[in-house]
Amino acid sequence: MRIFVLGGGATGSLIAQLLVRQGHQVACGDRNPERARRFLGRKSSIPIYPVNARNLWSIVKAAKNCHLVVNAGPAFLNKIVLRAALRLRAHYLDMASHQSNSPFHAEQLRFSKQFLAKNRAAVINAGVAPGLTNLLVARSADLLDTLDTVQIRLYESTGSDEPVSQWSSDAAFDEAVSRPPVYRDGHFHVGNRFGEREMFRFPRPIGRAAVMLAAQDEVVTLPRFLDLRVLDVKIGGNDFERLRRLYRQGRLRKSSGGGKRFPQTPTPRQMEKLLAGGTLYHARFAAAVVAVGRMDDHHAMVRYDAAFPSLHQIRRREVYTSPIAWATAHMAALFVKHFPRGVPGVHPPESLPAKTRQAILSGASAYGIHVTRRLTLLMPVDDEE
């Protein structure tokens, strides 16, 4: 396919390189082509075009004749990029929602009829969290007879002597200032920022960690496509603890321009220098999905744990990026590899055909993403009282 990747930062540049390895013809667009070139590398032959992503026609001009638009820019640009893909009669893929008009709706789903009319497919929230986490919840629903409660737990940790953005500073700021959606007793609610603190045990080497409510996109799509009663997402680790402290100090407010406190994501060359100088000395990312429902005549629990390469494991591959950017880019590339061109409309990961979902999960292990599953039968349903 001819693929246009909008956004040449830490995640977009790596997606572009992975897609070239898959055999696609790839071009990038970015508001700052010189900075995007530093992410791609001077030796890369991938062309980069200057694009103002706030201008639909700027995108259309740069992405002319492409088959697929990959939106690796900030989520608040989603609507513009979706309209550009429709103008181009191209397929579309992104990695996050913005929920700009409603905290309980993924704005991309409103374009489903238009993509159906163009006989084109759009896959949304197709990264790691959301993305892989959605697939694991859908897989849990396939295993259980009925699905009742789902917990998604994430861990983000960076060890550094000065603040370092793991991926997008815009996304981190949105995550910090947005009120987290939760789904309880079959209804959407808004939770307290950094609320409902609890301890959760991640696999080694992380272990027990405090996690708190977070504004994540899984909550706004999964209950619309799967029959469940309770769903929330919580994040732990020192990155999220740092956001919590800043917010409680009143230093993160949309009105006060708090986003300026987030440093720009380091380029691979800058990341290499941070590692060599000891300023940045570790980073980890992990995800877990715990689903409870019924299987035969028992209550049952399915738990998935996803382990991603650490900062040093990625460095040994001579790739200089963060675990979150690495995981998001590799999952997005898998969604492209198994893109459902024959299924028009707008699809979050959980609504993709079962064979497509399974192919993406199977491909994750080839990229070094290790997913383990544990199924536990709980008390019989007859003994519930």
Side-chain angles (χ1 to χ4, degrees):
M1 283 194 292
R2 290 190 298 272
I3 300 177
F4 184 77
V5 179
L6 181 64
T11 304
S13 62
L14 185 51
I15 291 172
Q17 294 171 64
L18 292 170
L19 296 180
V20 168
R21 293 176 198 172
Q22 289 181 12
H24 299 290
Q25 183 179 332
V26 180
C28 282
D30 197 274
R31 64 181 178 180
N32 188 340
E34 179 57 32
R35 178 172 166 78
R37 178 58 65 194
R38 291 198 291 271
F39 276 101
L40 280 170
R42 298 292 178 185
K43 296 182 180 180
S44 173
S45 61
I46 298 172
I48 305 172
Y49 301 103
V51 176
N52 175 8
R54 296 175 184 268
N55 184 300
L56 182 147
W57 293 109
S58 179
I59 301 170
V60 170
K61 180 180 177 181
K64 187 179 180 181
N65 296 324
C66 74
H67 298 125
L68 169 67
V69 175
V70 174
N71 178 9
F76 65 79
L77 298 171
N78 284 351
K79 292 181 182 179
I80 300 172
V81 187
L82 280 158
R83 293 188 182 105
L86 287 166
R87 289 278 183 177
L88 292 160
R89 297 188 66 86
H91 301 290
Y92 171 90
L93 181 140
D94 67 30
M95 283 144 277
S97 298
H98 193 240
Q99 301 135 39
S100 52
N101 295 328
S102 170
F104 307 133
H105 290 86
E107 68 280 3
Q108 304 102 309
L109 293 175
R110 296 189 174 97
F111 290 80
S112 190
K113 289 184 179 179
Q114 296 175 60
F115 274 87
L116 281 168
K118 298 281 188 179
N119 196 31
R120 294 294 183 269
V123 178
I124 66 171
N125 299 348
V128 62
L132 174 61
T133 47
N134 299 61
L135 295 177
L136 295 178
V137 175
R139 183 62 182 144
S140 300
D142 293 339
L143 293 171
L144 298 170
D145 297 331
T146 61
L147 184 62
D148 183 58
T149 301
V150 174
Q151 297 177 331
I152 298 174
R153 301 293 182 259
L154 308 174
Y155 181 86
E156 305 171 4
S157 177
T158 305
S160 60
D161 293 335
E162 59 186 49
V164 177
S165 289
Q166 281 235 32
W167 59 319
S168 167
S169 57
D170 291 321
F173 179 63
D174 277 348
E175 190 176 78
V177 300
S178 299
R179 294 192 65 184
V182 296
Y183 191 71
R184 302 278 165 78
D185 297 319
H187 298 282
F188 289 101
H189 304 276
V190 177
N192 294 324
R193 296 178 182 90
F194 306 100
E196 300 185 22
R197 185 184 180 96
E198 66 179 49
M199 298 302 294
F200 184 83
R201 185 176 294 280
F202 292 92
R204 294 180 179 177
I206 297 172
R208 281 170 57 85
V211 295
M212 296 158 281
L213 284 177
Q216 285 286 124
D217 300 324
E218 295 94 332
V219 178
V220 299
T221 63
L222 282 165
R224 301 186 187 281
F225 293 89
L226 300 176
D227 187 13
L228 51 84
R229 189 176 60 86
V230 175
L231 169 65
D232 60 35
V233 183
K234 296 184 180 181
I235 302 180
N238 65 2
D239 290 356
F240 206 63
E241 290 281 1
R242 188 179 300 117
L243 291 177
R244 175 174 173 265
R245 288 196 300 272
L246 289 172
Y247 185 80
R248 290 198 164 187
Q249 292 167 5
R251 296 161 65 187
L252 287 182
R253 294 289 188 274
K254 290 183 179 181
S255 59
S256 63
K260 295 178 182 178
R261 297 185 182 277
F262 291 81
Q264 278 196 323
T265 307
T267 65
R269 186 70 178 271
Q270 291 169 334
M271 182 78 80
E272 185 179 5
K273 289 182 177 179
L274 290 170
L275 284 163
T279 302
L280 176 62
Y281 41 87
H282 85 76
R284 291 191 181 277
F285 177 51
V289 168
V290 181
V292 176
R294 294 189 181 189
M295 176 179 284
D296 296 327
D297 57 351
H298 281 74
H299 293 282
M301 179 178 72
V302 180
R303 172 165 176 161
Y304 283 99
D305 286 290
F308 309 97
S310 68
L311 179 68
H312 290 291
Q313 289 170 328
I314 295 170
R315 181 189 184 185
R316 284 198 291 269
R317 303 181 186 195
E318 296 186 350
V319 178
Y320 292 92
T321 191
S322 71
I324 295 178
W326 186 95
T328 303
H330 281 74
M331 285 306 305
L334 280 170
F335 277 99
V336 173
K337 184 176 182 178
H338 301 283
F339 196 87
R341 285 182 281 183
V343 188
V346 178
H347 308 282
E350 63 271 21
S351 74
L352 294 173
K355 288 185 178 179
T356 302
R357 290 189 276 111
Q358 185 55 47
I360 296 169
L361 287 173
S362 297
S365 62
Y367 276 156
I369 299 172
H370 300 292
V371 178
T372 59
R373 184 186 76 194
R374 186 170 69 229
L375 173 62
T376 306
L377 291 179
L378 306 174
M379 65 178 181
V381 175
D382 291 342
D383 296 344
E384 198 166 359
E385 295 183 1

